[in-house]
Amino acid sequence: MLLIILLAFTHICHSATINSDNHHFLKLPLLHINPLQSPSQAFSSDAARLSSLLSNLHRKPNLPVTSGAYAGAGQYFVTLHLGTPPQPLLLIADTGSDLIWVTCSACRDDCSVTRPAHSAFLARHSSSYWLHHCFDPACRLVPHPRPPVACNHTRLHTPCRYEYSYSDGSITNGFFAKETTSFNSSTGKLLQHDSLAFGCGFKISGPSVSGPSFNGAQGVMGLGRGPISFVTQLGRRFGNKFSYCLKDYTIAPPPTSYLLIGSTTGNSRFRYTPLLTNPLSFTFYYIGIQNVYVDNLKLRVSPSVWEMDKLGNGGTIVDSGTTLTFLPDTAYRHVLAAIRRRVKLPTPAGSPPNFDLCFNVSGIRRPSLPKLSFKLVGNSVFSPPVGNYFIDTSENVKCLALQPVTSPGGFSVIGNLMQQGFLFEFDIGRSQLGFSRSGCSRA
Ligand SMILES: *[C@@H]1O[C@H](CO)[C@@H](O)[C@H](O)[C@H]1NC(C)=O
Ligand SMILES: *[C@@H]1O[C@H](CO)[C@@H](O)[C@H](O)[C@H]1NC(C)=O
Ligand SMILES: *[C@@H]1O[C@H](CO)[C@@H](O)[C@H](O)[C@H]1NC(C)=O
């Protein structure tokens, strides 16, 4: 079925109300909601929430449709205006999945009673809501619920049903629909895109897409590489590029991060690494890591540890929807050992669960922690600041925010914490990822 989805790819996303776009890009504010964030919050409760969250972070290997959405916290949210008149909806921005979906309601009258404002998309309150017919080519782009319902193309009112599942078993199920979506463009004009394909979710279940771990979101904006993702659908109008800079949210007040769809006029300071493709999944943005360094010393990890095999197992993805970074077990052990050798700080009493390496930095104003860097394919080096991989789990306790990939065939993940402070440009047209430490002030 996946193959069908991939092959059916070109049918969607052609029509837009405005054809001649001289707008460079769309700029959508990203909100950050995270249990780790504000230093003023009670640290102990943060750590407790963090550890319950980590148990959910385990990904199943090699699933074509998975997402970091279920990480539940440490997420970035984006507002999407859907329908006519526009209804604002808060979605998790997720580069680890493709589908855009929102919680839908069939409510017609007195909706504020059953549905607090903006808690769901009210399909009947929009004049531009359009259901894809089950025979519509677009319907082949989404996975369907089982057992399949026969599609009779001569019958009207047989909507396209979708069922999209995440790797923790969370599910969104409903109708695959089309809507007008509105944006404020970078030039201040109101822009409309009249046929955004999205899932109108009526049955939503599972820890990552409902309940408190969904953090009040009404859906997910899939920013993956597949045909139904937000960036693929809007990409044609905006040069097949998007970028974001996740700013350091521990700064008070937290700065605003943006998701930019389109070209962000020449930033010459970009370093580039090719985006790799997985033969089994078009969703993820894979990059190639070749070596890892601790304080500029190359660790003795065989480059093959990082590689994706012919079946699509292994490899490394860049994912805005996952909070922490996951490294292959072997590499993880080497990093751990190298850091442990270099840091002569005491370990805290009762180390937080889920972290293998923590230090008690009590009384040390500027603890010196090793520099971690990754040599990437294309001869570029990604050197994140220490704050991207050491987090404060409680007062005076700093833990290495890395996790091992333990499942066979599992892949590594550069999570959103590791991405902070860099402008990342996903250039899908050129199949490359650019990153820049100096680009954030402009984004
Ligand atoms: C499809 O629907 C038409 C009209 O409702 C009906 O005449 C026809 O028998 C149906 N075909 C199948 C295969 O069910
Ligand atoms: C555009 O900006 C105005 C003013 O800030 C705001 O009220 C409106 O909701 C925005 N519309 C969209 C579609 O983002
Ligand atoms: C950290 O060290 C300080 C001073 O040595 C000590 O008082 C404190 O209890 C330690 N904290 C933990 C969590 O181990």
Side-chain angles (χ1 to χ4, degrees):
M1 186 173 69
L2 180 71
L3 204 61
I4 296 170
I5 294 173
L6 300 182
L7 292 176
F9 144 36
T10 41
H11 292 284
I12 213 166
C13 38
H14 283 287
S15 48
T17 14
I18 304 163
N19 294 320
S20 60
D21 277 313
N22 32 25
H23 315 280
H24 286 302
F25 55 88
L26 292 178
K27 187 171 182 177
L28 311 174
L30 286 168
L31 310 168
H32 185 264
I33 302 179
N34 192 293
L36 306 171
Q37 55 181 348
S38 127
S40 61
Q41 280 177 11
F43 283 106
S44 55
S45 70
D46 281 356
R49 285 165 71 188
L50 177 67
S51 58
S52 68
L53 181 159
L54 287 175
S55 55
N56 293 329
L57 274 169
H58 176 84
R59 283 167 177 267
K60 279 191 204 152
N62 204 12
L63 277 180
V65 182
T66 61
S67 160
Y70 59 84
Q75 298 285 15
Y76 287 85
F77 293 77
V78 63
T79 300
L80 183 71
H81 288 81
L82 210 56
T84 311
Q87 301 178 32
L89 297 152
L90 192 64
L91 308 183
I92 288 181
D94 183 22
T95 57
S97 62
D98 285 334
L99 182 71
I100 307 157
W101 67 269
V102 301
T103 304
C104 274
S105 165
C107 172
R108 190 192 303 269
D109 305 313
D110 297 329
C111 297
S112 57
V113 179
T114 49
R115 284 287 183 184
H118 314 314
S119 68
F121 176 66
L122 306 173
R124 287 178 163 157
H125 289 209
S126 169
S127 60
S128 47
Y129 180 67
W130 176 266
L131 282 170
H132 284 292
H133 190 271
C134 63
F135 201 69
D136 195 329
C139 193
R140 282 180 240 153
L141 299 173
V142 283
H144 305 295
R146 311 225 137 240
V149 183
C151 182
N152 182 337
H153 69 279
T154 60
R155 273 190 27 213
L156 298 171
H157 310 302
T158 326
C160 174
R161 291 180 172 275
Y162 80 92
E163 183 172 289
Y164 200 82
S165 43
Y166 296 91
S167 65
D168 69 338
S170 294
I171 283 172
T172 161
N173 173 316
F175 298 127
F176 196 46
K178 258 194 315 200
E179 254 301 5
T180 297
T181 173
S182 321
F183 307 93
N184 287 323
S185 83
S186 54
T187 53
K189 278 192 211 151
L190 186 74
L191 256 183
Q192 288 195 322
H193 185 83
D194 72 355
S195 55
L196 187 78
F198 73 106
C200 202
F202 285 97
K203 248 166 63 187
I204 293 144
S205 64
S208 67
V209 292
S210 56
S213 69
F214 208 37
N215 271 328
Q218 286 96 45
V220 174
M221 178 188 279
L223 298 172
R225 241 177 147 178
I228 53 172
S229 87
F230 185 76
V231 289
T232 306
Q233 292 194 56
L234 274 99
R236 282 162 197 274
R237 300 178 71 185
F238 297 99
N240 264 321
K241 271 185 189 178
F242 73 99
S243 52
Y244 57 69
C245 171
L246 308 177
K247 293 178 184 169
D248 183 353
Y249 53 80
T250 59
I251 297 168
T256 309
S257 302
Y258 292 94
L259 172 66
L260 306 167
I261 310 286
S263 194
T264 56
T265 53
N267 182 319
S268 52
R269 300 269 202 85
F270 272 123
R271 288 162 201 280
Y272 292 99
T273 191
L275 286 171
L276 311 177
T277 23
N278 184 331
L280 287 189
S281 168
F282 272 8
T283 299
F284 297 127
Y285 296 98
Y286 281 91
I287 58 165
I289 295 178
Q290 290 174 324
N291 287 299
V292 59
Y293 295 76
V294 170
D295 278 347
N296 297 323
L297 231 84
K298 184 157 100 182
L299 303 189
R300 298 180 56 155
V301 180
S302 158
S304 67
V305 161
W306 303 99
E307 281 167 12
M308 189 194 322
D309 70 16
K310 285 199 197 77
L311 299 172
N313 297 309
T316 305
I317 66 163
V318 176
D319 186 8
S320 70
T322 298
T323 307
L324 300 181
T325 286
F326 290 70
L327 302 183
D329 195 52
T330 328
Y332 175 76
R333 301 282 150 213
H334 275 85
V335 170
L336 218 60
I339 293 179
R340 205 173 258 143
R341 267 200 306 277
R342 280 161 186 279
V343 181
K344 305 285 177 235
L345 291 167
T347 50
S351 270
N354 297 307
F355 289 111
D356 291 324
L357 189 58
C358 298
F359 297 110
N360 183 346
V361 295
S362 158
I364 303 160
R365 196 172 305 152
R366 305 200 76 203
S368 145
L369 294 164
K371 184 176 143 198
L372 182 67
S373 39
F374 299 93
K375 167 121 185 293
L376 308 178
V377 174
N379 220 11
S380 54
V381 177
F382 176 60
S383 296
V386 166
N388 287 19
Y389 52 90
F390 268 102
I391 52 173
D392 298 332
T393 55
S394 60
E395 207 169 355
N396 294 325
V397 175
K398 284 192 183 294
C399 294
L400 182 67
L402 299 178
Q403 298 283 306
V405 178
T406 47
S407 45
F411 48 81
S412 306
V413 183
I414 304 294
N416 64 38
L417 186 69
M418 193 65 94
Q419 298 171 38
Q420 273 189 31
F422 286 83
L423 179 65
F424 278 93
E425 183 186 73
F426 295 75
D427 187 338
I428 300 159
R430 291 205 180 91
S431 210
Q432 64 182 12
L433 176 71
F435 54 95
S436 162
R437 223 27 260 262
S438 60
C440 282
S441 52
R442 316 166 75 242

